Amino acid sequence: MSIDFSAKRLSYEKDELIETNAPNTPYPLLQTWIHDAVAEQIGEAYAFSLATCGADMRPSVRTLLMREIVPVGDDIQMIFYSNYDSQKGQDLVDNPFAEALFFWASLERQVRASGRVVKLSDEKSESYYQSRPKDSQLAAWVSRPQSGVVDSRAVMEQGFLDYTAQFGESIPKPKFWGGYCLMVDKIEFWQGRANRMHDRLVYTKQGDTWSRQRLLP
Ligand SMILES: Cc1cc2nc3c(=O)[nH]c(=O)nc-3n(C[C@H](O)[C@H](O)[C@H](O)COP(=O)(O)O)c2cc1C
């Protein structure tokens, strides 16, 4: 039996996104929307989907946790952490451009941010790694290479025990693990509206300045 959602429909009526209420540069709006998502107590409001496309030209997407969003002048840098030897890591070597997507259903909002992804400095990655719980630090060692095939759960559990015994209290950051920074040069804000007449404002960076346009829904 198929899974049929074709009769399911919601009307989005919570808010609007109108030029007169939108800033000229995107960071203040992003800050407001993230703040709203956190205040709404959306589970993992800072979880996002990262789309990449490597040399095989097959787009791939996965959920990650956003760790920091940094305004640099009028620019936006988005920081997240992963395994450099994973599939996404290889995709980003092949093609450094990626897109991050947040969807906050209860706010009827979506944000898409794209641009070039660069690796964070080893110092910054180290400092974040050392702030993580020890179990997460060990799991980074076990997941080597992330996205590689493993024979069984038992192999992973044994790896966890082995690394626990090997490192004791002080667990070094693996070289293959660290941060990425998405240097946003395009970011779209989508606010659901009634009758599928949604609001979409996209900010695009040209040279040093942001321009803003409305897109058809
Ligand atoms: C809620 C959630 C949060 C996640 N956060 C991260 C993360 O911050 N970093 C990470 O490497 N993987 C994270 N993952 C796992 C990724 O979705 C993915 O399985 C993993 O990174 C391997 O992806 P890849 O094979 O495309 O490289 C998370 C998964 C979920 C569901």
Side-chain angles (χ1 to χ4, degrees):
M1 199 164 82
S2 72
I3 299 168
D4 183 2
F5 297 123
S6 59
K8 293 224 172 273
R9 252 167 214 88
L10 289 179
S11 181
Y12 301 137
E13 300 179 3
K14 288 216 160 131
D15 209 341
E16 60 180 22
L17 180 58
I18 302 296
E19 285 80 344
T20 44
N21 297 329
N24 292 329
T25 57
Y27 185 74
L29 185 54
L30 181 63
Q31 199 178 23
T32 302
W33 280 27
I34 299 255
H35 178 269
D36 291 348
V38 172
E40 181 90 351
Q41 302 197 317
I42 293 173
E44 307 278 55
Y46 41 86
F48 70 104
S49 304
L50 181 79
T52 56
C53 187
D56 62 2
M57 300 299 282
R58 285 179 73 122
S60 61
V61 63
R62 75 289 289 156
T63 310
L64 301 178
L65 296 180
M66 187 62 70
R67 285 311 184 196
E68 213 179 333
I69 301 181
V70 187
V72 179
D74 287 336
D75 289 346
I76 299 172
Q77 299 185 354
M78 295 183 163
I79 292 173
F80 51 93
Y81 293 85
S82 192
N83 183 306
Y84 291 144
D85 295 339
S86 60
Q87 188 199 320
K88 75 184 87 53
Q90 185 55 52
D91 281 359
L92 290 169
V93 169
D94 297 346
N95 169 12
F97 289 92
E99 185 159 67
L101 177 135
F102 294 92
F103 172 51
W104 299 299
S106 60
L107 293 171
E108 302 168 351
R109 287 176 176 169
Q110 168 182 262
V111 170
R112 304 165 62 165
S114 67
R116 179 181 285 275
V117 176
V118 297
K119 280 185 183 172
L120 281 191
S121 72
D122 223 33
E123 294 72 44
K124 177 117 180 140
S125 295
E126 179 77 44
S127 126
Y128 174 70
Y129 183 82
Q130 292 306 337
S131 76
R132 303 175 83 210
K134 290 225 169 334
D135 289 355
S136 308
Q137 294 179 346
L138 285 164
W141 280 100
V142 174
S143 188
R144 178 190 203 182
Q146 186 183 40
S147 317
V149 174
V150 64
D151 282 343
S152 65
R153 171 106 207 154
V155 172
M156 292 165 50
E157 303 281 3
Q158 189 57 51
F160 195 90
L161 293 177
D162 291 346
Y163 282 115
T164 306
Q166 180 180 333
F167 292 129
E169 276 311 294
S170 165
I171 304 158
K173 180 186 82 59
K175 282 264 171 284
F176 55 80
W177 190 97
Y180 287 106
C181 178
L182 170 64
M183 324 281 279
V184 178
D185 60 16
K186 183 176 175 189
I187 180 163
E188 181 201 317
F189 296 83
W190 183 101
Q191 177 71 60
R193 300 291 305 271
N195 307 318
R196 299 293 186 257
M197 293 280 283
H198 312 301
D199 287 328
R200 299 177 67 189
L201 294 184
V202 63
Y203 293 80
T204 313
K205 191 150 177 249
Q206 278 143 352
D208 285 341
T209 51
W210 288 98
S211 65
R212 191 187 66 202
Q213 288 158 309
R214 174 170 290 267
L215 301 180
L216 287 164

